[in-house]
Amino acid sequence: SQQGEEDPQALSIQEGENATMNCSYKTSINNLQWYRQNSGRGLVHLILIRSNEREKHSGRLRVTLDTSKKSSSLLITASRAADTASYFCATPHHTGRRALTFGSGTRLQVQP
Amino acid sequence: DAEITQSPRHKITETGRQVTLACHQTWNHNNMFWYRQDLGHGLRLIHYSYGVQDTNKGEVSDGYSVSRSNTEDLPLTLESAASSQTSVYFCASSPDVNTEAFFGQGTRLTVV
């Protein structure tokens, strides 16, 4: 079963706008990661946030984590056409904590 | 630069044939993983390994096997390919627990 679920499933915005994606998970975690996948490519790691952190920034990315609500959000500010991709949250897998469990992802389309 | 490579990138095979997908990483990571990606399911864990001679089953391991004879390689074998195994397969590696994973470019497998 999937640990993380992203919302929305699809998002279409204009260049320059901000994009917010949400992730909910079911069990306690010690970290949560976000990945990007361009069409036909492998996943690329974006950011890791630990359970004792509430917010983390990396360039135009801002990730929040609310362990009491078992949820996380990824904000991409001033989006660009090159941000068009699918975005996945990932949490430690229950069968092997070095492995990851992924949600179904949010497909982001940034219109030029 | 260190990398993780998968081969082949595309393969078509017939039902009942044995198929092996290769994964090779040059980071010297102990942890290696195989996932499959299907529409509506995100990525699901097939098998994983924490080091040489160590292999473990993930959540969708039926019909698949792996072997780890060295640090660099984790080949995935489909013992008798079935149409339900048509999917995109991703190999990944990571250096430690609770760290980012590095993904290959994927292998698109079609079983006819």
Side-chain angles (χ1 to χ4, degrees):
Chain A
S1 63
Q2 290 170 297
Q3 163 76 311
E5 293 293 340
E6 289 89 346
D7 172 63
Q9 290 187 332
L11 181 61
S12 182
I13 60 174
Q14 298 294 124
E15 249 186 341
E17 294 180 338
N18 295 341
T20 299
M21 289 157 268
N22 302 296
C23 168
S24 60
Y25 58 91
K26 299 174 183 175
T27 62
S28 297
I29 59 172
N30 53 20
N31 74 87
L32 183 143
Q33 302 182 42
W34 284 90
Y35 287 80
R36 183 187 73 229
Q37 183 181 33
N38 290 89
S39 181
R41 309 294 295 272
L43 280 74
V44 175
H45 180 264
L46 295 176
I47 198 164
L48 181 152
I49 185 166
R50 304 194 186 280
S51 58
N52 60 353
E53 298 175 305
R54 291 296 170 260
E55 188 171 308
K56 199 164 183 179
H57 297 255
S58 177
R60 293 184 296 112
L61 305 181
R62 171 178 169 257
V63 168
T64 63
L65 179 64
D66 187 333
T67 53
S68 66
K69 295 181 179 178
K70 292 186 171 61
S71 67
S72 174
S73 68
L74 170 67
L75 168 67
I76 303 174
T77 60
S79 63
R80 306 166 181 168
D83 294 327
T84 294
S86 291
Y87 292 82
F88 297 87
C89 67
T91 53
H93 201 281
H94 71 278
T95 61
R97 298 194 70 79
R98 302 180 200 187
L100 297 169
T101 293
F102 292 85
S104 299
T106 293
R107 294 185 305 280
L108 173 65
Q109 177 75 42
V110 181
Q111 307 286 352
Chain B
D1 286 343
E3 61 180 1
I4 181 166
T5 55
Q6 294 183 233
S7 61
R9 292 293 313 278
H10 302 271
K11 185 169 182 66
I12 300 174
T13 192
E14 295 179 342
T15 300
R17 288 193 180 271
Q18 184 180 80
V19 176
T20 297
L21 309 183
C23 175
H24 179 81
Q25 54 102 358
T26 58
W27 277 295
N28 204 36
H29 289 165
N30 285 325
N31 307 317
M32 295 187 72
F33 315 93
W34 275 102
Y35 297 88
R36 60 178 287 176
Q37 185 176 32
D38 305 287
L39 282 175
H41 288 279
L43 279 83
R44 291 181 291 175
L45 183 65
I46 306 172
H47 281 285
Y48 58 100
S49 169
Y50 291 162
V52 176
Q53 302 302 331
D54 176 74
T55 61
N56 306 278
K57 294 181 179 180
E59 60 191 299
V60 290
S61 60
D62 288 350
Y64 303 94
S65 64
V66 293
S67 61
R68 189 87 181 271
S69 58
N70 58 53
T71 301
E72 295 80 16
D73 299 289
L74 187 70
L76 176 71
T77 297
L78 286 69
E79 305 295 344
S80 177
S83 58
S84 60
Q85 294 176 309
T86 292
S87 186
V88 181
Y89 291 86
F90 288 98
C91 179
S93 71
S94 70
D96 204 343
V97 64
N98 298 326
T99 59
E100 69 178 280
F102 298 82
F103 281 80
Q105 295 286 61
T107 294
R108 183 174 295 277
L109 177 68
T110 302
V111 182
V112 298

